[in-house]
Amino acid sequence: MENKSILILGAGELGMPVIRNIAQESKKYNNVKVTVLLRGTTIESDDEQKKTNIDEIRSLGASLLAADLSAPSSDLISIFKNFDVVISCTGYGSGAGGFQLKLASAVLDAGVKRYFPWQFGVDFEVIGRGSAQDLFDEQLDVRKLLRSQTITEWVIISTGMFTSYLFEKSFGLVDFDKKIVNALGSPDTAVTVTTPGDIGKLTAAIFFAEPQIKNTIVYISGDTITYGQFADVIDSLSGEKFERTVADLEELKNDLQNDPTNFVKKYRSIFGDGRGVSWELEKTFNFQNSIETTSAKQWAENNMEWSK
């Protein structure tokens, strides 16, 4: 096991499952040390959820490192130099402005052996440059940078959308009050979804896989489902027949043009277009390695209290 010192950036919705699974799996190996980088204000926070997370990180045997990723690149390089592997679970919270590229550059300049960048999402290359979600162009820049060098091995994990987003009111797929399912693009458009818990479990499995996985994109999936099938799930679990409507590509485009900085409308446009947002189960790491994952229906059964 070459990757003995592991630095995980962030402890949010995805970070915690990744930390949990990497830390637990690392105990099977000698002298593998897991460190979690968080802002000092987060580590010392009085917020109950943050305190719970910090307590859990400590109970897992992981160390905490107080630092701010918005610091100058030279500071990040001096931190990253101390680790064999960096796993980024920062999310898009930092927004645009080159943050992901700055992190990747610092990792490379530090000579880190292995990097898992924040690319837990869709297939940016199939979507291509100039898409509705401008943050995706930077993700392509990160890939180009990683491929341009040979010192740092890298692994990108494509996960699709978090499963919970299908059911969030703000995303506009389902309105439980009005009993409407509103397909994006068409009822036949498909989307791949994975729960953060499954992403954490599979990230650990990919990390520790032998022979070591490197310099590649690994696809995982909890479920690949069309919006029509999603409506069937809603009908089945609610015991009612929801009205089915469609926000076609023209409507999604107009919505975004009228509100061009709206984060949700950017995503609705991407997931309505359908390119690069789904893949067949057969091409996924979990299918090929017989690792069970949670379907959209299973997630909804377990989390939705049907549905109030």
Side-chain angles (χ1 to χ4, degrees), residues 195-261:
T195 67
D198 281 344
I199 296 171
K201 174 174 72 175
L202 291 166
T203 297
I206 292 162
F207 183 96
F208 290 103
E210 293 289 350
Q212 187 167 291
I213 294 169
K214 58 186 178 183
N215 303 333
T216 192
I217 300 165
V218 182
Y219 293 86
I220 67 173
S221 163
D223 203 352
T224 293
I225 187 170
T226 67
Y227 296 123
Q229 291 168 334
F230 174 72
D232 294 340
V233 167
I234 298 294
D235 288 350
S236 169
L237 293 178
S238 67
E240 301 180 66
K241 189 74 176 167
F242 277 48
E243 182 186 348
R244 300 184 186 209
T245 60
V246 177
D248 64 21
L249 294 181
E250 193 65 28
E251 181 183 332
L252 294 169
K253 183 180 174 183
N254 290 338
D255 283 349
L256 183 57
Q257 283 178 340
N258 293 331
D259 192 3
T261 62

Side-chain angles (χ1 to χ4, degrees), residues 172-183:
L173 270 186
V174 57
D175 187 322
F176 288 104
D177 297 328
K178 295 179 180 175
K179 301 200 181 328
I180 294 172
V181 175
N182 183 231

Side-chain angles (χ1 to χ4, degrees), residues 122 126-128 130-134 136 161 170-173 182-186 189-191 227 246-278:
V122 294
V126 171
I127 291 169
S131 72
Q133 178 47 277
D134 44 347
F136 290 178
M161 186 197 299
S170 63
F171 196 59
L173 270 186
N182 183 231
L184 304 180
S186 90
T189 302
V191 57
Y227 296 123
V246 177
D248 64 21
L249 294 181
E250 193 65 28
E251 181 183 332
L252 294 169
K253 183 180 174 183
N254 290 338
D255 283 349
L256 183 57
Q257 283 178 340
N258 293 331
D259 192 3
T261 62
N262 188 299
F263 209 69
V264 173
K265 290 178 181 176
K266 290 179 183 182
Y267 274 107
R268 280 172 58 82
S269 185
I270 293 285
F271 283 98
D273 181 63
R275 283 179 303 132
V277 299
S278 69

Side-chain angles (χ1 to χ4, degrees), residues 18-65:
V18 170
I19 293 163
R20 198 173 290 132
N21 285 274
I22 292 281
Q24 287 170 344
E25 194 66 23
S26 70
K27 290 173 183 173
K28 299 176 183 176
Y29 300 84
N30 289 328
N31 303 319
V32 175
K33 183 173 170 55
V34 178
T35 303
V36 180
L37 184 150
L38 296 169
R39 288 192 184 96
T41 52
T42 299
I43 295 171
E44 304 299 331
S45 175
D46 291 329
D47 177 83
E48 284 304 319
Q49 184 58 60
K50 288 178 181 173
K51 282 166 71 174
T52 299
N53 288 349
I54 295 300
D55 288 346
E56 183 181 355
I57 290 167
R58 288 185 168 129
S59 74
L60 288 163
S63 303
L64 289 159
L65 173 62

